[in-house]
Amino acid sequence: MWPTVVVEKISKGVERCLDLVLAPFDREKKYKDILRDAQAQKDAKGIEAGVIGFDGKTLYPTLALPDMPPNVPLEYLPVLAGQRQESNNLNANLGIALGILADTDDKDISDEPVSPDWFARWRREAQGIGDQSLQNIWGRILAEEVKRPQSVSLKTLDVLKNVTATDAELFCRVAQYHIQSVIPDKFSAYQWPYTLRETIYLEGLGFLGGKNDLRPEVSDVLDSDKKGFICQGFILVFDLPPKITSLGRMMTGPVLSIAGNEILQVADNIPSAHPKTIKIVGDFVWKNLPNTCQIMEAYPLTSNSEFDEDTVLRSWHR
């Protein structure tokens, strides 16, 4: 069943999400009245039609199927059971998205609408997602698209629809060690906590793309005389002599694909700036930096690619 979502004060994000859900019913104006006035006649019609649920205190959208009709021929039961399961899956995914959007400040919600075609694709695929850990990803994907339309590509939906819960767990475990979107190659002498077979498997799923060399890049968040690597929730900042423009083949490895990067942005089960991850990644980078670099520091990285220079998570010195 659809989880209860309190809507006594409807947020902008919830409103935009419900626009997508209820658009086929041509009730863009009516549902706002339903949510704001539980005693109005339109509330009663919505509840009677099964579009809106009421638990005695709050209103919530529902797409649940009606009770099984009596005297259904036996051959129809598998079809009806499948429809009920798909409906429950869709409700669960939508419920997660609505829960996130209800807690999102209106200023963080774009005024741009979500593409109906994108939502139609999301809805079609979400009906087949019953695993709770995957539902969490699909719900967060929808919430992110409502916040920032065109932030999640159709390619990402195509990748996710073929992913199991075990696949998603593997990706999250490996992706936390990315350096500038590059997954360190197991061919290096450094001991990373994953196997070459696992990275090849993730490439086959579409989480990772072709290989690339790791190169330090100047970032807007850095001073002109510093360079750094953006990692998972933190940034490694170091001095690099002007004459050195590349670290050569410091590290080669598969890069996060478009889908990999977009999923990484919404996944909530990857430790951000975890001390163990900072040490493993930082030790590798420090070992491969030229001896002319005397100091490297790790700072927490925000979602806006900014960092607080007063907060040093870890430092390395020659």
Side-chain angles (χ1 to χ4, degrees):
M1 289 296 295
W2 179 286
T4 300
V5 179
V6 177
V7 291
E8 293 176 351
K9 181 180 179 181
I10 185 170
S11 69
K12 181 178 178 181
V14 170
E15 181 178 328
R16 289 197 172 277
C17 189
L18 292 178
D19 277 337
L20 293 169
V21 175
L22 300 179
F25 302 100
D26 192 27
R27 297 177 63 89
E28 289 86 348
K29 181 179 183 299
K30 291 183 180 179
Y31 86 81
K32 295 176 183 177
D33 296 332
I34 292 172
L35 293 172
R36 292 189 177 102
D37 188 355
Q39 304 303 317
Q41 182 64 30
K42 292 173 183 176
D43 291 353
K45 290 182 178 179
I47 294 172
E48 182 181 357
V51 178
I52 298 296
F54 183 58
D55 62 3
K57 294 182 179 180
T58 58
L59 297 167
Y60 56 92
T62 175
L63 298 179
L65 291 176
D67 293 336
M68 193 79 73
N71 303 321
V72 175
L74 185 61
E75 60 268 24
Y76 292 152
L77 289 179
V79 175
L80 292 175
Q83 291 176 341
R84 184 178 296 276
Q85 180 180 4
E86 290 179 349
S87 177
N88 290 338
N89 290 344
L90 181 57
N91 286 338
N93 284 294
L94 285 168
I96 291 172
L98 285 174
I100 294 172
L101 293 171
D103 294 331
T104 302
D105 196 293
D106 287 354
K107 66 180 179 60
D108 295 326
I109 304 295
S110 171
D111 292 328
E112 296 295 322
V114 175
S115 165
D117 289 342
W118 187 95
F119 179 71
R121 179 80 67 86
W122 180 92
R123 181 180 56 213
R124 185 182 67 192
E125 304 301 346
Q127 291 176 356
I129 306 300
D131 182 89
Q132 290 185 354
S133 60
L134 290 178
Q135 287 177 345
N136 184 55
I137 296 178
W138 281 85
R140 297 181 72 86
I141 285 287
L142 175 59
E144 188 67 19
E145 183 68 10
V146 171
K147 294 178 188 177
R148 300 184 298 118
Q150 301 185 42
S151 63
V152 181
S153 65
L154 292 176
K155 177 64 176 178
T156 295
L157 299 185
D158 284 338
V159 169
L160 274 178
K161 72 179 182 181
N162 295 315
V163 168
T164 67
T166 302
D167 296 336
E169 181 180 352
L170 173 62
F171 170 70
C172 292
R173 178 167 61 83
V174 173
Q176 66 179 305
Y177 298 103
H178 82 86
I179 307 174
Q180 208 86 359
S181 295
V182 177
I183 302 297
D185 204 319
K186 284 296 292 183
F187 286 122
S188 66
Y190 197 75
Q191 295 299 311
W192 294 98
Y194 49 83
T195 67
L196 177 62
R197 181 184 295 273
E198 287 174 330
T199 58
I200 293 176
Y201 181 70
L202 290 174
E203 286 187 65
L205 290 176
F207 286 118
L208 306 179
K211 291 190 175 182
N212 196 5
D213 293 335
L214 178 63
R215 302 176 185 275
E217 298 179 358
V218 176
S219 171
D220 292 338
V221 302
L222 301 176
D223 295 331
S224 58
D225 62 336
K226 294 181 180 293
K227 299 199 176 193
F229 291 127
I230 293 178
C231 306
Q232 182 56 31
F234 63 97
I235 182 170
L236 297 173
V237 181
F238 48 86
D239 294 320
L240 195 63
K243 63 180 181 179
I244 299 179
T245 58
S246 172
L247 295 180
R249 297 184 64 82
M250 169 183 170
M251 184 191 79
T252 299
V255 299
L256 293 172
S257 65
I258 293 176
N261 269 302
E262 292 177 352
I263 295 170
L264 196 62
Q265 296 300 315
V266 302
D268 65 341
N269 59 339
I270 302 180
S272 183
H274 191 279
K276 180 181 177 181
T277 305
I278 294 174
K279 183 181 186 308
I280 292 175
V281 174
D283 286 351
F284 170 79
V285 173
W286 184 242
K287 176 182 177 182
N288 286 276
L289 285 175
N291 290 331
T292 49
C293 292
Q294 297 298 307
I295 184 173
M296 181 177 76
E297 295 176 319
Y299 300 93
L301 190 67
T302 69
S303 58
N304 296 324
S305 296
E306 299 176 348
F307 70 94
D308 180 6
E309 294 189 63
D310 296 328
T311 305
V312 179
L313 300 174
R314 191 181 182 92
S315 61
W316 293 256
H317 302 268
R318 297 292 182 195

